[in-house]
Amino acid sequence: MKITKLTTYIVPPRWLFLKIETDEGITGWGEPVVEGRALTVQAAVHELEDYLIGKDPFLIEDHWTVMYRGGFYRGGAVHMSAIAGIDQALWDIKGKALGQPIHALLGGQCRDRIKVYSWIGGDRPSDVANNARAVVAAGFKAIKLNGAEELQIVDGNDKIDAIVATIGAVRDAVGPHIGIGADFHGRVHRPMAKVLARELEQFKLMFIEEPVLSENLEALKEIANHCSAPIALGERLYSRWDFKSVLSGGYVDIIQPDLSHAGGITECRKIATMAEAYDVALAPHCPLGPIALAACLQIDAVSYNAFIQEQSLGIHYNRGSDLLDYITNKDVFRYEDGFVEIPQGPGLGIEVDEAHVIEMARQGHRWRNPLWRHQDGSLAEW
């Protein structure tokens, strides 16, 4: 079997899909994208295409190594996301050709299902209590919200009070036993993160995500001294080498590699195993489309330390185009009692609606994240 063609589709709301074809008619799908940089990643995929055409798609480890090490400059969001989508598609091809789900090829599943959480609210936490009640009523046992608006490096207590009031309203709305993840989104700098972590201690959070940006790892140990909530991090780390210092330094309790950013199934399998050796939990980042989610579930299936899965069904980014719009076997992501079953179909276990993908690619997108500014006019982290 030989790879014959790579086709990319920029589709709304903010995704990039990849189809890899072979000379035996078996195709695989991947989701290589950096949100807000879809065109850049698309170009990177087609640069790697030059190497892949004519190759045996089964040699995934070798192809991964060449795509990563074959260029003098390597790593980073764009390069690793391009590799990630290609890697997903190659595993999809191999699974389909052998009639097995990818997790069966990775050693077999160690769980039948995994807990999922639902996003509530939007970028500006307000009126979130009713949204929290609604998702809990729908069966979810865990939720996540943006825990902070924009904060300057040192800001006023009024900002802290507003955040505490919002998360407190959510805790009151859902009761004491629903998991709440508070995503600081990298919006908080070290001086305020310490204050905020201490103030949120009362709500017994499931985790605090990105209390500071990944490049400020040295601040995490001090922040951890101000709270007992697990600290989660990793959506802006792209390889096992990026995670190496995080794990060896004891900075985090939960890692969140993104299967569409951190080198795909091949690399995230290794990252998950590294984390297990440090007794660190796995909760893959996935505010993306159905291909990315299906890839995450393959890693969840075989990772002992996986405990919860992010998913974006119904998230505010997806208005007008959502995950299930792009697949025909819509029951594959059926949520029940706060869990989703591990897919059992061959490859990724999803059936992409190619006609709909082609139709929506005519519309495309040029999604960009918002740009925020502080009252003094300086740029705020989004």
Side-chain angles (χ1 to χ4, degrees):
M1 187 186 300
K2 304 295 181 186
I3 297 170
T4 57
K5 187 177 181 181
L6 280 72
T7 307
T8 50
Y9 302 94
I10 292 180
V11 297
R14 54 179 190 159
W15 303 331
L16 173 65
F17 292 168
L18 164 67
K19 177 186 176 184
I20 297 184
E21 298 177 53
T22 68
D23 59 356
E24 294 187 13
I26 299 174
T27 62
W29 288 87
E31 195 168 332
V33 69
V34 173
E35 300 92 305
R37 297 288 185 270
L39 289 167
T40 312
V41 179
Q42 182 182 46
V45 168
H46 289 294
E47 287 177 337
L48 294 169
E49 178 182 21
D50 296 342
Y51 160 74
L52 290 165
I53 295 297
K55 298 295 192 301
D56 179 352
F58 275 31
L59 302 178
I60 299 171
E61 188 70 33
D62 186 56
H63 297 329
W64 198 101
T65 301
V66 171
M67 289 188 292
Y68 180 78
R69 296 182 183 274
F72 186 81
Y73 300 101
R74 59 191 68 165
V78 171
H79 182 208
M80 298 304 288
S81 297
I83 292 175
I86 292 169
D87 181 80
Q88 292 167 5
L90 293 178
W91 276 109
D92 195 27
I93 289 170
K94 191 165 190 174
K96 289 173 178 174
L98 298 175
Q100 294 290 324
I102 292 166
H103 55 75
L105 307 181
L106 295 174
Q109 65 193 73
C110 62
R111 59 175 46 83
D112 300 320
R113 57 182 187 158
I114 190 163
K115 185 183 288 187
V116 289
Y117 64 79
S118 178
W119 268 90
I120 59 170
D123 290 316
R124 305 277 178 169
S126 62
D127 300 325
V128 293
N130 287 334
N131 293 334
R133 289 190 191 95
V135 297
V136 170
F140 288 95
K141 300 180 185 299
I143 57 179
K144 188 170 85 170
L145 72 155
N146 279 328
E149 298 182 68
E150 67 274 28
L151 285 173
Q152 287 190 297
I153 190 165
V154 176
D155 215 319
N157 285 328
D158 57 329
K159 292 285 190 73
I160 300 296
D161 290 344
I163 294 166
V164 171
T166 298
I167 296 180
V170 172
R171 175 54 79 201
D172 289 342
V174 302
H177 302 306
I178 296 297
I180 299 175
D183 187 357
F184 286 17
H185 220 253
R187 296 170 181 172
V188 186
H189 296 275
R190 179 175 179 169
M192 301 308 293
K194 294 190 297 182
V195 177
L196 190 51
R198 185 185 65 240
E199 292 295 324
L200 296 179
E201 178 75 2
Q202 60 187 301
F203 302 122
K204 298 181 179 179
L205 298 174
M206 179 173 63
F207 57 75
I208 293 174
E209 181 174 336
E210 277 198 324
V212 292
L213 290 166
S214 298
E215 52 261 41
N216 296 324
L217 292 177
E218 67 282 351
L220 289 178
K221 279 193 174 180
E222 187 174 359
I223 293 166
N225 289 332
H226 290 77
C227 70
S228 61
I231 291 175
L233 182 77
E235 68 188 72
R236 288 187 260 199
L237 302 175
Y238 310 112
S239 72
R240 75 198 89 146
W241 296 280
D242 289 347
F243 279 94
K244 181 167 65 171
S245 60
V246 174
L247 294 169
S248 64
Y251 296 127
V252 299
D253 305 293
I254 303 164
I255 60 161
Q256 301 170 303
D258 190 305
L259 270 286
S260 282
H261 298 334
I265 291 168
T266 298
E267 185 71 351
C268 287
R269 170 69 157 149
K270 297 172 182 178
I271 292 168
T273 303
M274 287 172 61
E276 184 183 351
Y278 286 93
D279 209 20
V280 169
L282 173 71
H285 181 255
C286 190
L288 293 169
I291 302 170
L293 179 56
C296 287
L297 294 175
Q298 306 300 322
I299 293 299
D300 292 328
V302 298
S303 300
Y304 171 81
N305 51 336
F307 81 102
I308 201 165
Q309 177 59 57
E310 180 173 26
Q311 54 81 40
S312 72
L313 189 65
I315 198 172
H316 52 292
Y317 297 121
N318 295 358
R319 293 191 184 105
S321 283
D322 216 329
L323 279 78
L324 300 185
D325 297 335
Y326 287 100
I327 57 176
T328 58
N329 58 335
K330 302 181 188 298
D331 286 344
V332 71
F333 298 138
R334 182 178 65 255
Y335 304 139
E336 186 174 348
D337 296 327
F339 288 79
V340 65
E341 298 288 325
I342 300 299
Q344 298 301 315
L348 287 167
I350 57 171
E351 299 168 7
V352 175
D353 186 343
E354 186 172 356
H356 186 70
V357 170
I358 292 170
E359 177 186 353
M360 298 308 291
R362 296 190 185 102
Q363 176 179 330
H365 69 82
R366 291 186 68 86
W367 186 88
R368 299 291 185 268
N369 64 252
L371 292 175
W372 289 356
R373 291 189 180 273
H374 297 297
Q375 289 184 340
D376 64 5
S378 62
L379 185 71
E381 293 280 359
W382 173 74

